[in-house]
């Protein structure tokens, strides 16, 4: 990955001027390169990482493993695209192991996730089975530590 993309990924709030200084180039070159990356789809968007626990949200995130029967000449791509098009789904990945695909559904209630799996995901023609796991606590997300280091309040003891 080039240095500009690394900077943007690490901190998308940096100004073009700041990135230009860090890269030893002009602000105009940075602006032009970012625009190109956006136009050709290298940069898909910019997002904040929210600590849901601190924001006191009453929703959950679920990781759903999916075993599928791939279609001839389409492999896993067709069913993965179908799942990706479902509005509740945030991410879809092809994976190795006992299940073929996994997806993440977030900012839903337990009931909404259950209904999604039962009524929208499981009935898809190629879906053989699913296993749903709920995220209980986030410690690190996208390289950012969320959990604070526990404070040792036992104090010093001298003998």
């Amino acid at each position: 990955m080039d240095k500009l993309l690394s900077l943007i990924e690490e901190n998308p709030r940096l100004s073009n001027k700041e990135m230009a200084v860090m890269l030893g180039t002009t602000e105009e070159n940075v602006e032009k390169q970012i625009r190109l990356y956006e136009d050709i789809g290298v940069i898909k968007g910019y997002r904040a990482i929210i600590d849901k626990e601190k924001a006191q949200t009453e929703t959950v995130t679920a990781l759903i493993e999916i075993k599928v029967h791939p279609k001839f000449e389409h492999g896993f791509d067709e069913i993965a695209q179908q799942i990706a098009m479902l509005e509740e789904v945030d991410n879809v990945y092809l994976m190795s192991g006992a299940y073929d695909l996994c997806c993440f559904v977030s900012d839903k209630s337990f009931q909404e996730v259950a209904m999604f799996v039962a009524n929208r995901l499981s009935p898809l023609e190629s879906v053989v089975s699913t296993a749903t796991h709920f995220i209980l606590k986030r410690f690190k997300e996208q390289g950012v530590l969320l959990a604070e280091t526990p404070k040792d309040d036992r104090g010093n003891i001298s003998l």
Side-chain angles (χ1 to χ4, degrees):
M1 184 175 350
D2 78 19
K3 290 179 183 181
L4 176 59
L5 289 174
S6 293
L7 285 174
I8 294 169
E9 187 175 48
E10 189 176 318
N11 185 357
R13 295 188 72 190
L14 289 172
S15 69
N16 291 350
K17 185 176 184 177
E18 291 169 319
M19 288 187 282
V21 169
M22 296 167 90
L23 296 170
T25 187
T26 66
E27 189 175 347
E28 293 75 27
N29 284 346
V30 168
E31 186 176 330
K32 186 172 21 169
Q33 190 62 45
I34 290 172
R35 192 174 315 113
L36 175 65
Y37 283 147
E38 291 170 345
D39 290 346
I40 64 175
V42 171
I43 296 175
K44 298 290 189 181
Y46 305 88
R47 292 198 130 169
I49 300 168
I50 308 297
D51 187 331
K52 305 282 174 125
E53 194 172 310
K54 285 187 177 178
Q56 299 177 337
T57 60
E58 297 294 323
T59 60
V60 298
T61 296
L63 181 155
I64 305 166
E65 296 175 307
I66 310 160
K67 190 174 289 192
V68 300
H69 183 83
K71 290 190 176 176
F72 182 70
E73 294 187 8
H74 294 281
F76 296 102
D77 290 354
E78 185 175 300
I79 185 63
Q81 287 296 329
Q82 276 185 290
I83 294 167
M85 295 303 293
L86 297 171
E87 66 188 47
E88 296 88 347
V89 174
D90 296 323
N91 307 299
V92 178
Y93 303 103
L94 177 64
M95 52 192 245
S96 63
Y99 288 85
D100 305 306
L101 301 170
C102 79
C103 71
F104 283 85
V105 173
S106 58
D107 297 327
K108 304 287 180 213
S109 69
F110 282 104
Q111 182 70 21
E112 288 172 318
V113 172
M115 291 296 98
F116 165 73
V117 173
N119 298 330
R120 303 226 20 208
L121 183 61
S122 293
L124 292 175
E125 184 181 335
S126 297
V127 173
V128 175
S129 65
T130 64
T132 302
H133 309 275
F134 290 98
I135 306 301
L136 301 177
K137 183 171 179 156
R138 299 167 195 269
F139 293 92
K140 187 174 186 177
E141 191 160 321
Q142 296 182 32
V144 177
L145 288 172
L146 300 176
E148 295 174 11
T149 307
K151 208 158 83 172
D152 186 357
D153 58 356
R154 292 179 290 178
N156 293 331
I157 299 174
S158 42
L159 299 171

